[in-house]
Amino acid sequence: MTATRRSPRPPSGFLWRAPTRPGGATPLPLERKTGVEYDTAWARRYPVRLVRAMVLDDVTIPLVRTVAKPTIYGRGAIEHLEGPLIVTANHTSHLDTALLLSCLPPSRRHHTVVAAAADYFFDRHWKATLSAFGLGAIPMERQKVNRRSADAAAELIDDGWSLVIFPEGGRSPHGWGQEFKGGAAYLARRCGVPVVPVHIRGARAVLPRGDDSIRSRLRRGEVQVRFGAPLWPNDGEDARRFSSRIEAAVALLADEAETDWWSARVRASRGESPPFRGPDVSPWRRAWSLPESADPVPRRETGVPGSGADGATAWDRR
Amino acid sequence: MSPRPGFVLEVDRSTPPTLFWHGEGFRLERLPSGSRVIYAPEPLPALKDPDAAIRHALESPLGDAAPLRSLLRPGMRLTIAFDDISLPLPPMQAPDIRQRVIEAVLEIAAEVGVDDVVLIAALALHRRMTDDELRHALGERIFNAFAPYGLLTQHDAEDPKNLVDLGQTDQGEDVEINKRAAESDLLVYVNINLVAMDGGHKSVATGLASYKSLRHHHNVRTMLHSRSFMDRHHSELHSSNWRMGTLIKDAGVNVFQIETTLNTDTFPEQFRFLQRREWEWNLRDRAGFLASSKALERTPPEIARRIFHSIRAPHQMTSVQAGEVGPVHDRTLENLYRQQLVPVEGQSDILTMGIPFICPYNVNSIMNPILVACLGLGYFFNLYRGKPLVREGGVVIMSHPTPWAFNPVHHPSYIDFFEQVLSETTDLLEIESKYEAAFATDPWYVHLYRTSYAYHGVHPFYMWYWCAHALSHVGKVIVVGGDRAAVRRLGFTPASTLSDALEMAEDVVGRDPTITHLHAPPLLMADVQ
Amino acid sequence: MKALVFERQLARFAASRLASTLVGSGLGVGVGPLELLEIDPFQLPGSGYVRVAPRLAGICGSDLATLDGRSSRYFEHIVSFPFVPGHEVVGDVIGGALDGRRVVVEPVLGCEARGIDPPCPACSNGDKGRCEHIAFGDLEPGLQTGYCADTGGGWSAQLVAHESQLHLMPDHVSDEAAVMIEPTACAVHAAYSSVHTASGRRVVVLGAGTLGLCTTAALRSLVLPGVLVVVAKHPEQRRLARALGADHVVEPDEVVRAARRLTGSLGLGRDGGAIDRLTGGVDVVFDCVGSADSLETSLAITRPGGEIVMVGMPGPVKVDLAPLWHREVTLRGAYAYGSEDTPAGRRSTFEVAQDLVEDAHLEQLVSGRYPLERYEEAIAHAAAAGRRGSVKIVFDMRRQPRDRDRHSDRDKETDET
């Protein structure tokens, strides 16, 4: 046996293997875009819309109606409106989007896009694809008006699409309302379309926010969805003031949900509507004063809840 | 028919066999003629409207305490401490008493507008409660209003930042308790007084204390001088706690004590036979016993354990009192004795007891051998007022499978105590002087106590000290049907049957001994004349 | 003469391995390569050699591994077939100047026994166990008497040994004590090898067979550890470990917890609360088992920078060495003996071992004696020694008929008494 020595050779098998990159070359940027950059146009092509419509009508909505049993009030206000609308609602549960879609008139339902948080629903490519396909979602920046996402939304509204948007910018951590951000008002003014205020009552009791699995959080319940009269921006009214008008309209619907149409209006006229964002007190008192409908627990439970102690699975040592 | 009081049966030849608890199961044993069996009083009727009773107690407190509403004001610091998972036993059906009481307190606090409210589970050195357990004890409404904001806390006796030293009692006992509780404008303590030991000044002085403070009354000397620790006026454990309680009060901690008592309705419908007297078992009870004991024979121990630990007791509240600690506790004891006290004539040579599946320290867990010893010789032996049920130098016979099994999450230091301490010695004072400090300060146990669900490193020592009075009083301890190695490790004598055990006991107490059987649970307290 | 002979027969080798796997260690002897044969006495291989008639010869763990077919292939080139096993030997010298004297054989076959001059550096320093010439010289390869085709071994009526291998036994040392000197010497060597790392520190001895117990005794009297924990499985082992100086005796499944508590270390483990390994740990572990499990345990309980001494003979083991690397643990072997630096100057390990055997009464570890004819039983007993409440099993040749010409008188005497 002889020991041979070869001179070092560059890596071979070029045509059979992917090429290695020379040290001096800069890699091309990754093609896939997420967040507000994600382009959802594909999800509004006819074949995709058709499939989405079928999934929405035959799977998603029946499921939502089974667990949440929505009762709709005041939909007459929008049934005969022509043209695109901006639908704004309070947001306490992941169920809200599907609930709202299920409560829109069918003709409008399939011509609606949903503004969804770019950093939550569009952060991964697969999530973006799923959101765009399943709900017709478009990415929207939560905190500020982003030129790109605003332009995209405005273009769609101009195209005749209605927009569902949650102006609170995310699900409420405590069940009370949060400040409405200006996006919906801005779009309404820019495109000259009306805003429909909606209040959803009881969704948090069906599927509260939380870290546990959806299955363990989900409880059956009854949900009320209240549509208010459409609001048009007044002349000379800026987006911020229009936005607070929208919030007030949703707050009125919230009071109506707890009392009745008349008392809510009387109280509103006297400026005595209960605060939409809850009392300005410590967290526990806000939670304590939450109306029963917004609370994921019945006030006094009976029966035996699960007794499984975490980590107590290893019973025997020998 | 009004509930019957407790009863002492004298066994004769027509007495049916007597039920003995045996861990996750039962045995039927024939006691010799002339033996006595002590039965608990039947459950007292529950309060008709517990919520109204709670509101009433809060509005018209005992002693020199003002009504709760007048003690509350906006801008104050309010702390509500409550008993942990160790009470009541078995855990009660929802709604738990703590939920009822604390909801009532919070309703008032919300109306008054108290913003700064914190809840503390008064764990002392017990394991932390899981979220599920907290939800069960407090109800979801309280849990959801407090837990997400970090306002539902569990006492951490190893967190120096959250402890405050209030000084020493006249006997030189350090008093170090939870800082938040001590520095609040009002501390509301919500008790469930299952046995006479619970409550009083022991609530705050023990439940919210640290090891530095606890070691003054959780030690061999104190336990030897507590006869029994269930009888507050003859208990050094309580004297020490009362001294500490006085000091806490003098230090300016404003305690609003709420105590509640339960009736003896301990087991749900399917286990109804467990709280009936054997000669009154009807067809359904007998069938129930037969079915459950046969089924349990064929059930693997872990599953049997799960079944038993899923029992939720139908306990009902028989009284609630609130206000100043002393008067509240006196009223509580009256109510508790009204339910639990059974007059018994004189001591006997042998005391027999069936040890059930649960004790205060193994809820949702394993009843390990140390806990078996503690429940039998600590708790059951001490369920007396006056004199122990067994004479000095007598024999205690316990019935429990005593498996060599531990829950490594809940009882890590117990395993080491059993393997490394009891294998060397079972002598109380030697254990205390040689090993306690090392276990109490072991960083691993501290870590597990604070971050996992483990009892504190020193806790198995306290279990052992709890047996001190019994160990110094009796001549021999026999365990029927236990794992031999485990029973021997405890320093006790294993026996396969009760008759063997009685034979063995005769070596100590002589021929034809007198025998008393403690038919518990349901819990009772013997008033021995 | 009668001898148990171990031959190189691959088929029987495989059979014994299979049998030991199927029915248990020590039970595959019947089908294995060990046979009781009538053979001719060995030739004296060179000058300085004498014949020794064994009185007692121990069965060692390494013998069992060989018989089970589990010893490492590493030994292939440093043993020679056929050989007569048995390296723990006390016997009588036949012929020569020492005729009739009782001796213990120091079995390592170093340069001197092999007639190699000049000797290798290790041998010239007295460290015979580290001899570099164990396959060369006048003898066939063989690391010890009992593994060499030319010398024979203890499991027979006669072997040959070099004068340098003999240690004269005074009369007050019983045969049982004498036969314990060889294993004790291993333990003494292991103990001295870590005298600086283990003295006053926290030490664990894994295993309480012969080696474990001898190591316990050696540590207690020569090294003085701060805390000495011995891991013992069986009740008799626990009793002996305690008697020989263990501070704590724990069961195998308790050792991690015990080490944790004694060192006040923190633990790492699964969510279930079990501790898999310690973040700190003990200073030195003496692994007197030599299995993958024991090495794994050792690595789990040794502190960073600590030391593991392998006293038991390991075979090929699969073990995760990440902790060895990460915790900078020293893993060290301790084989055989030679000379030790004792407080009283440099002494032969055997001499130190002899003192220790006498002081600690290690003859109490000899708990079973069998004639050669019952070798299958003897080996099965040795393999199950712990379980059966015994420690050291030996072959007893004191009642065997010896070389008839020379020793008939004495045999008669023995028979009469």
Side-chain angles (χ1 to χ4, degrees):
Chain A
M1 201 170 72
T2 54
T4 56
R5 182 189 284 180
R6 290 181 184 176
S7 59
R9 276 168 53 182
S12 62
F14 170 62
L15 291 178
W16 289 272
R17 292 188 204 143
T20 49
R21 192 169 50 235
T26 329
L28 288 169
L30 202 64
E31 278 295 314
R32 289 190 157 179
K33 289 177 177 162
T34 54
V36 283
E37 306 282 307
Y38 184 86
D39 187 3
T40 56
W42 65 272
R44 288 181 297 275
R45 296 221 185 90
Y46 266 101
V48 183
R49 279 176 69 183
L50 193 67
V51 180
R52 171 163 65 247
M54 281 162 57
V55 173
L56 214 51
D57 285 353
D58 299 333
V59 183
T60 316
I61 290 174
L63 272 177
V64 167
R65 286 191 175 145
T66 319
V67 290
K69 293 213 197 83
T71 319
I72 307 169
Y73 299 87
R75 195 170 74 179
I78 59 163
E79 238 145 39
H80 303 294
L81 277 181
E82 296 286 326
L85 294 174
I86 295 177
V87 182
T88 59
N90 63 325
H91 197 18
T92 57
S93 166
H94 270 325
L95 228 47
D96 290 340
T97 311
L99 266 168
L100 258 185
L101 287 176
S102 78
C103 297
L104 288 178
S107 56
R108 199 175 280 284
R109 183 185 306 153
H110 300 306
H111 204 196
T112 298
V113 292
V114 179
D119 58 299
Y120 186 91
F121 289 97
F122 287 88
D123 62 338
R124 300 288 186 79
H125 198 265
W126 65 269
K127 265 164 102 179
T129 311
L130 205 65
S131 312
F133 168 74
L135 299 168
I138 58 169
M140 189 71 69
E141 200 78 58
R142 280 183 207 248
Q143 295 309 329
K144 53 183 197 298
V145 178
N146 174 288
R147 171 120 336 252
R148 186 187 159 95
S149 56
D151 285 350
E155 230 170 81
L156 285 172
I157 295 170
D158 291 342
D159 252 12
W161 290 79
S162 291
L163 175 72
V164 167
I165 187 166
F166 298 101
E168 291 176 40
R171 286 168 301 154
S172 156
H174 38 58
W176 289 104
Q178 307 171 84
E179 186 187 2
F180 275 26
K181 301 194 189 309
Y186 166 81
L187 285 171
R189 267 170 49 90
R190 174 166 161 182
C191 305
V193 294
V195 171
V196 180
V198 179
H199 180 259
I200 305 170
R201 174 187 191 263
R204 188 164 181 265
V206 177
L207 181 69
R209 221 180 132 137
D211 298 328
D212 305 338
S213 71
I214 287 194
R215 235 186 93 207
S216 68
R217 279 183 283 151
L218 199 63
R219 301 161 205 233
R220 281 185 182 216
E222 286 176 18
V223 171
Q224 297 177 4
V225 179
R226 270 190 177 69
F227 288 84
L231 306 170
W232 272 269
N234 295 331
D235 290 338
E237 185 184 39
D238 66 2
R240 211 160 54 82
R241 281 163 70 187
F242 185 35
S243 183
S244 23
R245 196 146 64 85
I246 301 169
E247 184 178 328
V250 176
L252 179 68
L253 291 169
D255 190 19
E256 189 184 318
E258 295 305 323
T259 55
D260 60 79
W261 184 86
W262 175 247
S263 336
R265 256 151 201 79
V266 169
R267 292 211 281 194
S269 68
R270 290 191 198 139
E272 286 172 4
S273 291
F276 176 60
R277 299 181 201 163
D280 187 18
V281 290
S282 65
W284 85 265
R285 278 176 64 203
R286 274 159 74 101
W288 201 252
S289 54
L290 207 57
E292 199 169 342
S293 63
D295 210 347
V297 276
R299 274 295 186 266
R300 173 62 60 76
E301 66 179 60
T302 49
V304 184
S307 60
D310 300 349
T313 43
W315 289 91
D316 268 306
R317 199 172 67 80
R318 305 191 170 184
Chain B
M1 194 171 74
S2 67
R4 294 176 293 178
F7 178 60
V8 180
L9 168 80
E10 183 158 326
V11 174
D12 61 23
R13 301 190 57 153
S14 50
T15 307
T18 306
L19 180 93
F20 274 59
W21 274 95
H22 191 70
E24 289 86 12
F26 338 98
R27 295 163 78 114
L28 280 180
E29 301 282 5
R30 279 202 179 275
L31 287 164
S33 293
S35 307
R36 298 184 302 181
V37 182
I38 310 177
Y39 289 90
E42 291 183 339
L44 294 176
L47 291 172
K48 282 227 169 51
D49 183 347
D51 291 321
I54 291 167
R55 282 194 299 273
H56 176 76
L58 299 180
E59 280 158 19
S60 40
L62 304 176
D64 63 358
L68 182 64
R69 187 180 295 272
S70 69
L71 296 172
L72 301 178
R73 58 186 156 75
M76 76 182 298
R77 280 154 75 88
L78 170 64
T79 299
I80 304 173
F82 55 95
D83 280 340
D84 72 347
I85 188 72
S86 58
L87 289 163
L89 296 176
M92 66 189 294
Q93 288 172 7
D96 193 281
I97 287 188
R98 284 164 287 213
Q99 178 185 350
R100 286 183 189 276
V101 175
I102 297 175
E103 278 184 4
V105 173
L106 287 175
E107 287 297 352
I108 302 175
E111 283 167 32
V112 174
V114 185
D115 281 317
D116 188 355
V117 180
V118 168
L119 268 56
I120 305 177
L123 300 177
L125 302 181
H126 298 172
R127 72 169 169 90
R128 298 187 311 138
M129 294 168 76
T130 65
D131 282 358
D132 275 348
E133 289 162 350
L134 286 167
R135 275 201 184 94
H136 182 70
L138 300 174
E140 294 227 21
R141 191 173 173 217
I142 296 175
F143 186 88
N144 289 350
F146 285 84
Y149 309 104
L151 302 172
L152 172 52
T153 62
Q154 310 209 45
H155 174 61
D156 182 350
E158 289 289 348
D159 179 6
K161 288 197 300 297
N162 201 17
L163 291 170
V164 59
D165 195 332
L166 298 179
Q168 289 190 335
T169 66
D170 52 2
Q171 308 264 327
E173 298 147 314
D174 299 281
V175 180
E176 186 179 55
I177 65 166
N178 188 292
K179 192 173 189 175
R180 161 79 203 192
E183 294 180 352
S184 291
D185 298 307
L186 183 65
L187 170 60
V188 174
Y189 195 108
V190 181
N191 281 275
I192 298 178
N193 301 65
L194 182 72
V195 291
M197 177 188 72
D198 304 329
H201 283 295
K202 187 172 165 294
S203 306
V204 174
T206 295
L208 294 172
S210 71
Y211 170 67
K212 181 177 162 193
S213 199
L214 289 166
R215 65 198 165 101
H216 292 292
H217 43 73
H218 279 53
N219 58 43
V220 177
R221 190 191 55 79
T222 305
M223 297 319 293
L224 286 174
H225 290 90
S226 297
R227 313 209 151 192
S228 70
F229 62 65
M230 293 288 175
D231 182 359
R232 117 133 183 75
H233 296 287
H234 299 95
S235 160
E236 180 54 30
L237 172 71
H238 287 82
S239 308
S240 173
N241 270 294
W242 253 248
R243 286 192 294 274
M244 291 185 173
T246 313
L247 184 125
I248 290 169
K249 190 179 174 193
D250 294 345
V253 181
N254 193 3
V255 180
F256 188 85
Q257 180 92 346
I258 305 173
E259 301 198 347
T260 57
T261 55
L262 303 170
N263 63 14
T264 50
D265 197 0
T266 315
F267 298 101
E269 219 19 44
Q270 65 268 35
F271 290 115
R272 193 179 60 168
F273 58 89
L274 291 171
Q275 55 195 47
R276 288 195 161 196
R277 299 164 186 182
E278 289 83 352
W279 61 94
E280 288 168 0
W281 284 10
N282 61 18
L283 188 63
R284 206 183 121 200
D285 296 323
R286 279 173 286 151
F289 173 83
L290 211 61
S292 45
S293 49
K294 289 291 165 203
L296 284 168
E297 277 170 25
R298 285 165 185 71
T299 315
E302 310 87 81
I303 297 182
R305 210 171 274 140
R306 271 178 203 286
I307 294 171
F308 274 93
H309 280 276
S310 67
I311 289 182
R312 292 290 172 267
H315 289 307
Q316 300 285 327
M317 200 156 91
T318 56
S319 76
V320 51
Q321 34 275 326
E324 195 191 347
V325 179
V328 164
H329 191 60
D330 291 343
R331 178 73 62 85
T332 303
L333 285 182
E334 269 170 44
N335 285 318
L336 189 110
Y337 286 151
R338 187 161 58 88
Q339 170 69 87
Q340 291 187 359
L341 216 53
V342 182
V344 178
E345 202 65 51
Q347 298 175 307
S348 60
D349 298 320
I350 298 176
L351 174 63
T352 62
M353 46 175 84
I355 305 296
F357 64 97
I358 199 168
C359 83
Y361 315 107
N362 76 315
V363 176
N364 296 324
S365 186
I366 296 174
M367 181 97 160
N368 63 50
I370 298 162
L371 295 177
V372 172
C374 175
L375 184 62
L377 300 182
Y379 281 81
F380 285 5
F381 175 88
N382 280 292
L383 282 171
Y384 74 83
R385 199 167 76 163
K387 293 181 289 183
L389 280 164
V390 58
R391 71 166 165 86
E392 190 152 7
V395 173
V396 168
I397 300 178
M398 306 193 279
S399 153
H400 191 278
T402 327
W404 189 307
F406 294 83
N407 184 315
V409 175
H410 296 158
H411 302 121
S413 63
Y414 280 66
I415 306 178
D416 294 349
F417 181 82
F418 196 67
E419 285 176 356
Q420 294 163 41
V421 176
L422 289 183
S423 59
E424 302 283 331
T425 176
T426 56
D427 182 79
L428 287 153
L429 289 166
E430 190 184 344
I431 286 176
E432 183 177 49
S433 61
K434 205 165 148 193
Y435 296 99
E436 183 188 306
F439 273 71
T441 55
D442 189 311
W444 173 243
Y445 302 142
V446 170
H447 169 77
L448 293 177
Y449 162 78
R450 298 191 62 187
T451 62
S452 176
Y453 296 95
Y455 282 84
H456 193 274
V458 80
H459 203 258
F461 289 77
Y462 292 168
M463 297 299 93
W464 201 245
Y465 303 162
W466 243 228
C467 307
H469 173 22
L471 287 173
S472 69
H473 181 85
V474 303
K476 192 183 186 71
V477 180
I478 303 174
V479 179
V480 177
D483 176 287
R484 277 166 191 279
V487 171
R488 295 200 66 85
R489 175 66 59 90
L490 292 168
F492 306 156
T493 312
S496 8
T497 65
L498 180 66
S499 18
D500 283 356
L502 291 171
E503 297 285 344
M504 290 151 83
E506 286 191 358
D507 293 344
V508 179
V509 295
R511 281 270 174 182
D512 298 320
T514 51
I515 301 170
T516 300
H517 177 62
L518 187 69
H519 201 281
L523 288 173
L524 61 90
M525 182 144 170
D527 193 8
V528 185
Q529 277 102 33
Chain C
M1 67 166 198
K2 281 219 166 82
L4 284 166
V5 181
F6 192 92
E7 292 191 75
R8 175 172 229 160
Q9 291 171 313
L10 285 178
R12 303 189 71 163
F13 204 70
S16 71
R17 172 152 193 162
L18 186 68
S20 72
T21 307
L22 293 177
V23 292
S25 171
L27 300 174
V29 177
V31 295
L34 188 72
E35 276 184 293
L36 183 62
L37 299 176
E38 191 70 36
I39 59 170
D40 292 333
F42 291 93
Q43 297 298 313
L44 294 178
S47 65
Y49 270 86
V50 293
R51 297 177 191 283
V52 175
R55 295 169 70 85
L56 296 178
I59 302 174
C60 167
S62 58
D63 295 327
L64 292 170
T66 310
L67 294 176
D68 285 344
R70 294 188 180 282
S71 61
S72 165
R73 293 192 60 187
Y74 165 82
F75 296 110
E76 250 177 25
H77 302 297
I78 51 173
V79 301
S80 49
F81 295 91
F83 65 80
V84 178
H87 55 271
E88 302 172 355
V89 188
V90 54
D92 297 317
V93 176
I94 304 171
L98 294 171
D99 183 36
R101 299 293 299 274
R102 202 161 55 111
V103 292
V104 167
V105 177
E106 181 173 345
V108 170
L109 295 170
C111 290
E112 205 174 351
R114 292 180 172 277
I116 295 172
D117 196 32
C120 69
C123 280
S124 50
N125 194 31
D127 295 330
K128 278 196 237 173
R130 296 184 180 173
C131 175
E132 297 170 12
H133 293 149
I134 44 177
F136 309 102
D138 293 345
L139 300 175
E140 286 287 308
L143 65 164
Q144 292 188 348
T145 300
Y147 294 106
C148 176
D150 284 346
T151 60
W155 301 2
S156 68
Q158 207 185 80
L159 57 87
V160 295
H162 193 262
E163 282 166 349
S164 67
Q165 291 182 274
L166 304 181
H167 292 265
L168 291 175
M169 281 299 112
D171 285 343
H172 69 267
V173 178
S174 67
D175 288 343
E176 279 75 11
V179 80
M180 285 308 299
I181 291 177
E182 196 276 346
T184 306
C186 292
V188 166
H189 180 66
Y192 267 127
S193 74
S194 52
V195 69
H196 299 297
T197 46
S199 180
R201 314 302 280 275
R202 296 158 305 194
V203 174
V204 170
V205 175
L206 285 183
T210 308
L211 263 185
L213 292 170
C214 290
T215 304
T216 304
L219 286 168
R220 178 48 71 210
S221 75
L222 305 174
V223 176
L224 306 176
V227 181
L228 178 56
V229 182
V230 177
V231 180
K233 201 173 185 174
H234 304 289
E236 177 67 5
Q237 292 179 338
R238 283 201 286 276
R239 187 188 68 77
L240 286 166
R242 211 172 283 275
L244 293 175
D247 297 314
H248 301 274
V249 182
V250 301
E251 300 209 14
D253 65 344
E254 299 173 358
V255 58
V256 181
R257 279 191 298 276
R260 193 214 60 72
R261 193 182 71 74
L262 290 171
T263 57
S265 163
L266 300 181
L268 298 169
R270 296 176 299 270
D271 299 336
I275 308 172
D276 290 339
R277 57 175 59 255
L278 308 183
T279 53
V282 298
D283 300 291
V284 186
V285 176
F286 289 85
D287 180 352
C288 301
V289 181
S291 67
D293 277 353
S294 69
L295 192 51
E296 197 113 25
T297 308
S298 306
L299 284 167
I301 62 172
T302 307
R303 70 166 165 81
E307 184 176 71
I308 301 169
V309 184
M310 302 223 65
V311 189
M313 183 184 84
V317 294
K318 186 166 183 277
V319 63
D320 184 354
L321 288 181
L324 182 93
W325 170 79
H326 175 236
R327 295 156 72 80
E328 301 193 326
V329 168
T330 307
L331 177 62
R332 201 156 53 67
Y335 159 73
Y337 24 73
S339 314
E340 309 298 339
D341 291 315
T342 72
R346 198 159 169 84
R347 293 178 71 195
S348 142
T349 317
F350 264 58
E351 280 172 34
V352 183
Q354 183 183 333
D355 291 348
L356 179 60
V357 168
E358 290 180 46
D359 291 347
H361 299 286
L362 293 180
E363 67 274 9
Q364 63 183 315
L365 302 186
V366 176
S367 38
R369 300 168 190 77
Y370 287 84
L372 282 180
E373 289 77 10
R374 290 169 61 195
Y375 72 98
E376 291 186 23
E377 242 176 285
I379 287 163
H381 191 172
R387 204 160 8 103
R388 290 169 64 170
S390 355
V391 183
K392 175 58 75 184
I393 307 300
V394 298
F395 285 113
D396 189 346
M397 273 69 65
R398 288 176 294 196
R399 286 178 166 267
Q400 301 257 329
R402 302 214 174 159
D403 187 329
R404 276 181 202 113
D405 300 333
R406 301 187 49 127
H407 291 280
S408 48
D409 298 346
R410 198 204 255 179
D411 281 342
K412 251 183 222 157
E413 276 168 32
T414 332
D415 285 342
E416 279 159 14
T417 53

